[in-house]
Amino acid sequence: MPRRLIRVSRIREGRPFPLGATFDGLGVNFALYSANATKVELCLFDSRGRESERIVLPEYTDEVWHGYLPDARPGQLYGYRVHGPYEPDAGHRFNPNKLLLDPYAKRIVGQVKWSPALFGYVLGHRDKDLSFDRRDSAPSMPKCAVVDPAFTWGADRPPETPWQKTVIYEAHVRGLTMRHPAVPDAWRGTFAGLQVDEVVDHIISLGVTAVELLPVHAYVDDSHLLERGLRNYWGYNTIGFFAPQARYMASDTVGEFKQMVARLHRAGLEVILDVVYNHTAEGNELGPTLSFRGIDNRSYYRLSEGRHYINDTGTGNTLDLTNPGALRMVNDSLRYWVEEMHVDGFRFDLATILGRERHGFDPRGGFLDACRQDPVLSRVKLIAEPWDVGPGGYQVGSFPPGWAEWNDRFRDNVRAFWRGDEGQLAEFATRITGSADLFDKGGRRPTASVNFVTAHDGFTLRDLVSYDGKHNDSNGEENRDGTDHNLSANYGAEGDTDDAGINALRARQQRNLLATLFLSQGTPMLLAGDESGRSQRGNNNAYCQDNELTWLDWEAANQEEAKSLTDFVRRLGEIRARYRLLHHGRFFRGQYDEALGLKDVTWLLPDGSEMADEHWHDPHGRALMMRLDGRSPSSGLNEPGSEVTLLLLVNAAADTVGFTLPEITGEHWRVLVDTSQAREGQSIAGGERWDAVDRSLALLAVERDATA
């Protein structure tokens, strides 16, 4: 119970906008959206987390409850108790005994302490969620904190890297810095740790232009994980869409996140956030009441017959972005992270959910349209994970102009091709030239395809070539979790081995996969640690492993084999940046220019003759040459310095294949990349034979002085 009553004269009317707790230098305005509540109490807490006051918000305007406290200051801890009907069958789950987090809280202090009091119903009751629990949840709940938004950004400017020059590095805040020797102990695993020069310099050296961070919004550790001595590592369990996760802060101020952004911007790196607006940590009807459920369940969640939740996310609940209040919250959150925190873009988890209308996915749906016309959001990078588990949930290539998409078709084909699967050659050609079959519409460019071979979810690159199957026993689910569709191979031994031949092939396959990623049209995304051969010992679902299994081992990264792979990635980054033919932002169409006798792209058999239809349909085809010519008008590179011809030689067969190099009058081919590491840097005349060892790739170039 509150320790003292509020004086009537102290609370003022305030304003319904902006939502959340807003400090204006003199006091704090509190505003909370709830279309169906009957009363809202603002609860204040002292520094020890003890409730000191309950204040009824005096005004209700346009479905927003609001009030102004002239003596409130930054650092004030608060939460809400919301009154209304408890009628689960009608979609209402109001319970004022439960302390609720403000959906617009900019900082959340403390962690959820799992107890029966967190649930709006009586655990174990025969009526399940139809029962009503009267226990106070405040002692088990984290608290919201008022923040002072003041921050001196100085000369900070967004890098605004063009899409065609973008290279993404997917990383985890903790995983990247927990074991880095240059990061002070107190900064490890935090936003402060990402500011350390040695960390930033490493990222830049790879040719990376953007750091994509796994979820940093405040999230909840699942109770079943804590019971097993684990916790939610990836962070796809959000409860606060405006607040940074406290675990990632070395200090007690959100300014630490801003400092990190400013430091990365100064290095020319963009910051992209992986965001989870498809569901919350409250789960289904049997989950806890932490925020949205108790504030206005029927407005925030998609419901089936009132009581039950639609579960298109596979996590128990689904946010309802057809509701104006929920849609506004998501868009306000996105704008906050751009305008106040200076981030440069977002990767949307299970983004099909965000485009779901009542009838299903709609590329012209409310949220997608809102982003496209928004003057703030339309100018940052928007990346969709274009699938969910609901009906019609797979929507790769279906998002509207202005969006990029994770391309799992690239991932699966490239893995299968290099593994030696049959019938992959034709699709491989489509994938490495930007996946026009998926994205060439509405003026979209190859950059709409975010290409990746590995990501946080699944095998690391090293494990992809070291394990035939998953090994997730440490997750405590008897290896039932995680996908079985890995398209991996161990090449003769499961896991680590001392066999020199197997290890040499694995190393070459890693180079093949990395080279394919960097040399393909589209936007490459590199998983942090793949550049040094990081392993998770065969765990392909390490979502709950916040330990040395998932943290980057920087000591191992300094060993000879790892350094060699890192140097190879750096070389790939340099080559991609240097040659505009590799990132020119247009689809190759194979158009022939009669005056020059050139095509922008030409597909050749190993003997040097041009490929015909029957060759594309040969299920045993595993080798080809791709010639890209910058002199072709259709290449779009008619600028000085663009007269370069590139030749990609690909051999995914298990045997050596002889290639006859195309003749170039008066010129020699220079070897830029050779994953067999036999001929890099050499100069070879056209017409000569190139014996490509089994499972290898090479990139050759002829450069001419276009200004002469």
Side-chain angles (χ1 to χ4, degrees):
M1 291 295 295
R3 296 171 60 193
R4 59 187 175 88
L5 297 176
I6 186 67
R7 295 191 301 274
V8 175
S9 60
R10 181 162 165 247
I11 185 72
R12 299 179 185 174
E13 176 180 326
R15 299 182 301 163
F17 184 85
L19 290 166
T22 306
F23 176 61
D24 63 7
L26 299 175
V28 178
N29 190 81
F30 294 89
L32 180 74
Y33 163 79
S34 180
N36 295 293
T38 58
K39 182 173 74 171
V40 173
E41 293 178 299
L42 170 66
C43 302
L44 302 182
F45 294 82
D46 62 22
S47 59
R48 295 184 178 182
R50 297 176 300 182
E51 187 174 355
S52 57
E53 299 180 75
R54 291 187 192 177
I55 307 167
V56 176
L57 293 184
E59 294 295 333
Y60 183 54
T61 306
D62 296 333
E63 300 182 331
V64 175
W65 301 82
H66 55 95
Y68 181 85
L69 282 182
D71 58 349
R73 294 290 181 268
Q76 174 65 61
L77 302 180
Y78 74 98
Y80 290 108
R81 298 181 189 273
V82 181
H83 297 251
Y86 190 83
E87 301 172 356
D89 284 333
H92 298 304
R93 295 179 180 272
F94 295 101
N95 187 336
N97 299 291
K98 309 305 169 184
L99 184 75
L100 306 173
L101 295 173
D102 180 359
Y104 281 71
K106 307 301 191 302
R107 182 176 162 227
I108 294 176
V109 178
Q111 302 290 328
V112 169
K113 301 174 184 176
W114 287 98
S115 79
L118 292 172
F119 296 80
Y121 64 97
V122 180
L123 283 179
H125 196 281
R126 64 178 182 276
D127 293 330
K128 297 183 179 179
D129 60 305
L130 295 178
S131 62
F132 186 80
D133 188 271
R134 299 184 182 279
R135 283 170 287 192
D136 183 7
S137 69
S140 300
M141 282 290 293
K143 311 300 186 291
C144 307
V146 177
V147 303
D148 184 348
F151 183 80
T152 302
W153 283 100
D156 180 66
R157 295 291 183 274
E160 296 184 338
T161 305
W163 266 113
Q164 64 267 27
K165 294 185 179 180
T166 297
V167 178
I168 298 171
Y169 189 69
E170 190 196 32
H172 190 286
V173 173
R174 281 177 66 79
L176 190 59
T177 64
M178 280 298 291
R179 303 179 69 182
H180 199 293
V183 177
D185 289 347
W187 287 10
R188 293 188 176 189
T190 69
F191 302 125
L194 277 173
Q195 302 174 45
V196 172
D197 289 344
E198 289 82 351
V199 176
V200 177
D201 291 345
H202 172 78
I203 296 171
I204 294 172
S205 75
L206 302 174
V208 165
T209 68
V211 178
E212 181 178 304
L213 298 176
L214 266 68
V216 301
H217 290 168
Y219 63 84
V220 175
D221 285 316
D222 315 74
S223 59
H224 69 275
L225 293 178
L226 295 175
E227 290 167 1
R228 298 204 299 264
L230 303 169
R231 67 182 183 185
N232 193 310
Y233 174 64
W234 287 348
Y236 292 92
N237 203 29
T238 308
I239 197 60
F241 295 103
F242 291 76
Q245 172 70 359
R247 187 178 299 161
Y248 301 157
M249 294 194 291
S251 61
D252 60 358
T253 170
V254 297
E256 181 181 327
F257 181 92
K258 297 178 179 180
Q259 291 169 352
M260 176 199 71
V261 172
R263 173 66 183 93
L264 294 177
H265 279 181
R266 191 165 71 250
L269 293 168
E270 293 185 311
V271 178
I272 297 173
L273 300 186
D274 192 337
V275 289
V276 191
Y277 294 108
N278 56 77
H279 75 282
T280 77
E282 292 185 300
N284 64 14
E285 59 270 13
L286 299 179
T289 297
L290 308 174
S291 180
F292 307 91
R293 191 194 308 279
I295 292 171
D296 196 341
N297 184 66
R298 198 162 75 175
S299 292
Y300 276 112
Y301 294 117
R302 296 186 66 211
L303 304 176
S304 173
E305 301 178 356
R307 178 182 177 186
H308 301 289
Y309 292 71
I310 293 174
N311 187 21
D312 289 335
T313 63
T315 61
N317 65 54
T318 304
L319 278 175
D320 185 4
L321 296 196
T322 67
N323 176 274
L327 177 61
R328 175 172 57 180
M329 185 273 292
V330 171
N331 281 0
D332 285 350
S333 169
L334 291 169
R335 281 190 291 269
Y336 172 77
W337 287 94
V338 175
E339 294 182 308
E340 294 293 328
M341 308 296 255
H342 286 206
V343 305
D344 306 284
F346 305 93
R347 178 267 188 188
F348 294 83
D349 181 63
L350 301 183
T352 301
I353 291 292
L354 309 181
R356 277 192 185 274
E357 299 296 306
R358 295 299 180 188
H359 58 276
F361 177 79
D362 184 351
R364 304 293 179 184
F367 172 76
L368 299 178
D369 277 351
C371 288
R372 189 175 183 184
Q373 61 79 39
D374 189 281
V376 174
L377 303 181
S378 62
R379 64 180 174 83
V380 300
K381 290 182 168 67
L382 303 175
I383 303 170
E385 181 186 41
W387 50 78
D388 64 29
V389 301
Y394 188 78
Q395 294 293 336
V396 174
S398 300
F399 276 71
W403 283 74
E405 303 174 35
W406 271 28
N407 188 355
D408 67 329
R409 296 276 296 276
F410 179 96
R411 175 198 65 196
D412 290 354
N413 169 256
V414 169
R415 288 184 177 191
F417 177 77
W418 281 112
R419 191 172 67 169
D421 292 10
E422 292 186 352
Q424 300 295 320
L425 188 65
E427 185 178 356
F428 182 77
T430 300
R431 298 294 156 243
I432 65 175
T433 50
S435 296
D437 59 329
L438 300 173
F439 301 106
D440 189 9
K441 51 191 171 184
R444 302 180 80 185
R445 299 297 182 92
T447 51
S449 174
V450 175
N451 300 331
F452 64 105
V453 176
T454 58
H456 67 276
D457 188 0
F459 280 145
T460 66
L461 182 67
R462 178 174 173 180
D463 289 354
L464 184 66
V465 300
S466 303
Y467 294 90
D468 273 348
K470 65 187 181 185
H471 296 266
N472 299 350
D473 301 274
S474 60
N475 293 354
E477 300 178 43
E478 299 180 344
N479 205 34
R480 294 189 301 268
D481 62 304
T483 183
D484 293 312
H485 183 65
N486 297 296
L487 296 169
S488 62
N490 66 23
Y491 300 103
E494 188 73 352
D496 289 344
T497 179
D498 293 328
D499 188 299
I502 292 176
N503 285 331
L505 177 55
R506 288 176 176 178
R508 190 159 69 252
Q509 285 288 60
Q510 289 181 75
R511 292 192 293 271
N512 289 332
L513 291 161
L514 288 166
T516 303
L517 176 66
F518 272 80
L519 303 180
S520 294
Q521 302 298 315
T523 304
M525 184 183 77
L526 175 69
L527 174 63
D530 276 356
E531 73 272 17
S532 57
R534 181 178 72 90
S535 173
Q536 291 177 172
R537 298 196 292 276
N539 192 319
N540 75 349
N541 189 35
Y543 77 102
C544 56
Q545 300 291 336
D546 188 3
N547 49 52
E548 292 188 355
L549 183 71
T550 53
W551 302 339
L552 270 65
D553 185 348
W554 292 94
E555 181 178 348
N558 280 322
Q559 296 176 4
E560 183 177 350
E561 181 181 347
K563 289 175 68 175
S564 175
L565 186 61
T566 302
D567 288 342
F568 181 75
V569 173
R570 289 170 176 157
R571 175 68 175 151
L572 291 174
E574 292 171 357
I575 290 170
R576 181 178 179 88
R578 175 177 178 180
Y579 294 100
R580 284 176 292 164
L581 270 175
L582 298 174
H583 64 264
H584 74 314
R586 295 191 183 189
F587 288 104
F588 292 112
R589 305 189 185 280
Q591 296 175 344
Y592 183 74
D593 181 84
E594 292 190 7
L596 294 175
L598 298 171
K599 290 182 180 180
D600 54 0
V601 60
T602 306
W603 301 100
L604 304 172
L605 292 168
D607 65 8
S609 61
E610 193 160 351
M611 292 186 70
D613 286 344
E614 62 267 22
H615 301 127
W616 291 117
H617 298 294
D618 179 1
H620 304 294
R622 293 184 176 87
L624 57 69
M625 290 188 285
M626 178 182 71
R627 173 173 168 162
L628 303 178
D629 207 309
R631 295 175 295 172
S632 170
S634 59
S635 73
L637 295 177
N638 304 309
E639 302 175 22
S642 66
E643 291 196 359
V644 60
T645 301
L646 298 178
L647 184 68
L648 186 70
L649 283 67
V650 178
N651 176 25
D655 302 302
T656 297
V657 172
F659 289 87
T660 300
L661 302 184
E663 297 208 25
I664 305 289
T665 304
E667 303 284 354
H668 282 69
W669 293 101
R670 185 162 62 90
V671 183
L672 302 177
V673 175
D674 178 9
T675 61
S676 73
Q677 297 185 318
R679 306 182 72 169
E680 251 178 38
Q682 292 186 14
S683 182
I684 306 173
E688 287 194 14
R689 179 184 172 92
W690 175 290
D691 287 324
V693 301
D694 63 291
R695 288 163 288 209
S696 65
L697 173 152
L699 180 69
L700 286 63
V702 170
E703 298 176 78
R704 308 167 185 85
D705 184 0
T707 61

